[in-house]
């Protein structure tokens, strides 16, 4: 009963805090315009989210987009990116509510992934536009599928794997604990297994026998 009461109090307190934050930025009780990203990010926006929203703007046909409030350094980054693609930009608002707005012009360039990545690398090094991480994930997935496809029915997975090198950190730790090549894991009393549990590749869809 007490836990339910405490949980209810916490939820009410959290809702009150969210209302106060919305009231502070002027969104409480208002229906924001579609191009105002302050409604989408009422509690702040990350650098990665900024780059993704700029990509969406360049790809789409929207004339104007208004970002949430941000510090001067981040606004400068947005303005530089906008200038790179011939997008008109300016900051509106005062103090901690100052935020950049982008407007499409007749000279606005079309979005190209390679050009955008180069602009990101030049203007804000260290920031990932999201393309590299996705490409890296696809590359890892492709390697995984290629590796699993190389095994044949009944073949023991890892049977061709080389022994751990002498400089391997895991091997060094084991050797410090008394293990040596050819010995089983664990103390002499426990007599652990000498070889790992074998896993045979099974590609057929028949049930277990």
């Amino acid at each position: 009963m007490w836990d339910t009461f405490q949980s209810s109090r916490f939820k009410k307190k959290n809702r009150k805090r969210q209302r106060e934050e919305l009231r502070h930025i002027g969104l409480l009780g208002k229906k924001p315009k579609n191009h105002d990203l302050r409604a989408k990010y009422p509690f702040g926006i990350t650098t990665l989210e900024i780059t993704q929203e700029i990509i969406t703007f360049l790809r789409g046909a929207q004339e104007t987009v208004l970002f949430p409030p941000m510090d001067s350094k981040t606004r400068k980054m947005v303005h530089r990116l906008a200038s790179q693609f011939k997008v008109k930009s300016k900051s509106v608002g005062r103090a901690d509510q100052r935020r950049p707005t982008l407007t499409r012009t007749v000279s606005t360039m079309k979005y190209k992934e390679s050009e955008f990545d180069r602009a990101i690398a030049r203007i804000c090094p260290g920031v990932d536009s999201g393309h590299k991480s996705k490409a890296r994930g696809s590359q890892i997935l492709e390697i995984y599928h290629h590796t699993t496809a190389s095994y044949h029915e009944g073949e023991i997975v890892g049977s061709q794997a080389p022994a751990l090198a002498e400089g391997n950190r895991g091997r060094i730790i084991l050797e410090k604990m008394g293990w040596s090549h050819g010995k089983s894991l664990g103390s002499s009393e426990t007599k652990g297994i000498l070889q790992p549990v074998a896993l045979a590749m099974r590609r057929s869809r028949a049930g277990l026998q």
Side-chain angles (χ1 to χ4, degrees), residues 93-138:
R94 296 181 178 180
D96 61 344
Q97 293 302 303
R98 194 158 180 79
R99 54 200 183 125
T101 177
L102 306 184
T103 304
R104 191 182 304 276
T105 68
V106 293
S107 303
T108 296
M109 300 167 59
K110 291 185 178 181
Y111 170 76
K112 290 184 180 179
E113 182 177 316
S114 57
E115 292 183 5
F116 192 85
D117 285 342
R118 283 197 295 269
I120 287 289
R122 182 170 56 256
I123 295 172
C124 38
V127 175
D128 185 7
S129 63
H131 300 133
K132 294 180 180 179
S133 58
K134 291 178 182 177
R136 178 62 178 165
S138 300

Side-chain angles (χ1 to χ4, degrees), residues 8 34 44 79 114 128 180 183:
S8 178
N34 292 332
H79 293 315
S114 57
D128 185 7
S180 61
K183 291 178 60 178

